[in-house]
Amino acid sequence: MVDFKTQCEYAFAEWKKNNPDKVLDNNPFYTIAEVYNYGISGGQIFDFGDKKVNYYENGFNNMINFEFKWDAQKDYEFIFSKYSGKLNNELKGYSVLNYLSSHDDGSPFDGKRTKSIESGTKLLLSPGIAQVYYGDETGRSLVVEGTQGDATLRSFMNWNDVQSNPETQKILLHWQKLGQFRKNHPAIGAGIHQQITAQPYVFSRTFDKDGFVDKVVIGLDLPIGTKELSTGSIFSDGTVVRDTYSGKEAVVTNGKATINSEFGFVLLELKN
């Protein structure tokens, strides 16, 4: 496997050299392994029973995490602190690929799609890499009468709902907002998680590497209307912050940011 990774990196470097106008960044070739039933709790080790294998040491940057769909049944802080702790310690330098549903997993989280907002929040704000299976973001039901086996997981995309169902549009917008925030802030997937307050639930993520610093503060399941979020040591008094979920801005005062919006979610970033 190490030889495989070496050859991948060599081929990728050659491709970059021959296609300079198509190169996106200086990152090396990235590999993801699928080892059935690997979970983040195992750290770098997968136990077959008769032997233990470290796939990370054998050429892989990342492994698909079959455990996330079970962890998603727990509360936010359990998930976020567990994954941050694992990825910033025994898995430091590596990552996991989290998912809630997939093309051949017969035990998806929320197959009936009754928790689509919660699903998006947990998947897209968890440390690690997030795999969005088609329809996760639109509440496409994974329970289809008359299907056999994996067919129930591969139904038609619910485009009509996307176009005309207000509830579906609300779900999609939630996933889009969280997805864009995640894309713009490496701290979400690769940073260090720290709870600021339990009630209301507010936490920070911080990422610092090679002189690049990214810091955000997030509040979940907050009251509609005016809400006060403690910013801890992330944003100092006088700092202007923007809630990307609502588009509202605030000035941090006495260690808090006050946002008045119609939403129960707040995604705070520094205003550019």
Side-chain angles (χ1 to χ4, degrees), residues 27-268:
N27 292 323
F29 192 82
Y30 195 85
T31 54
I32 300 177
E34 178 178 1
V35 179
Y36 187 74
N37 267 345
Y38 165 80
I40 191 173
S41 291
Q44 293 189 36
I45 302 300
F46 182 75
D47 191 347
F48 283 95
D50 59 339
K51 64 178 178 179
K52 297 180 180 180
V53 178
N54 187 328
Y55 285 89
Y56 289 102
E57 284 187 345
N58 283 277
F60 288 96
N61 302 103
N62 187 301
M63 292 182 69
I64 297 175
N65 176 30
F66 288 80
E67 188 176 338
F68 187 79
K69 62 181 181 180
W70 306 117
D71 283 336
Q73 299 177 30
K74 305 292 183 62
D75 61 58
Y76 296 128
E77 182 56 25
F78 174 89
I79 303 168
F80 299 160
S81 60
K82 171 183 176 177
Y83 280 58
S84 178
K86 284 286 186 180
L87 292 171
N88 286 290
N89 289 285
E90 59 197 283
L91 284 171
K92 191 171 182 62
Y94 302 112
S95 193
V96 293
L97 177 65
N98 303 318
Y99 74 91
L100 290 173
S101 59
S102 191
H103 67 105
D104 62 353
D105 191 321
S107 302
F109 176 78
D110 189 34
K112 294 181 179 180
R113 304 299 199 185
T114 61
K115 305 176 182 178
S116 292
I117 296 294
E118 176 186 336
S119 295
T121 305
K122 288 179 173 177
L123 179 64
L124 296 176
L125 295 183
S126 284
I129 294 177
Q131 171 190 284
V132 179
Y133 184 50
Y134 84 98
D136 281 348
E137 77 283 22
T138 60
R140 176 183 65 91
S141 179
L142 301 180
V143 179
V144 182
E145 296 298 328
T147 56
Q148 296 181 6
D150 296 342
T152 192
L153 305 171
R154 307 176 189 182
S155 63
F156 291 115
M157 182 63 173
N158 55 334
W159 293 119
N160 289 337
D161 291 334
V162 172
Q163 295 173 348
S164 61
N165 188 321
E167 185 59 30
T168 301
Q169 293 168 349
K170 176 183 175 182
I171 291 169
L172 177 58
L173 185 59
H174 179 72
W175 280 71
Q176 289 173 330
K177 287 180 177 182
L178 294 186
Q180 284 294 320
F181 192 69
R182 180 187 179 91
K183 176 184 177 182
N184 294 333
H185 293 285
I188 301 297
I192 296 174
H193 171 84
Q194 181 65 54
Q195 178 177 284
I196 297 176
T197 59
Q199 292 292 335
Y201 183 55
V202 179
F203 62 89
S204 66
R205 292 282 169 80
T206 56
F207 179 79
D208 187 345
K209 183 176 181 180
D210 300 330
F212 175 82
V213 178
D214 184 38
K215 301 185 293 183
V216 297
V217 171
I218 298 172
L220 305 178
D221 295 341
L222 304 173
I224 303 303
T226 301
K227 39 207 160 263
E228 237 181 25
L229 286 79
S230 295
T231 59
S233 60
I234 304 302
F235 300 128
S236 59
D237 284 359
T239 301
V240 180
V241 293
R242 178 175 180 268
D243 168 28
T244 66
Y245 203 96
S246 67
K248 301 292 183 67
E249 296 179 2
V251 177
V252 177
T253 306
N254 296 324
K256 296 181 179 180
T258 301
I259 298 291
N260 187 338
S261 75
E262 60 186 297
F263 308 108
F265 302 90
V266 171
L267 309 173
L268 291 181

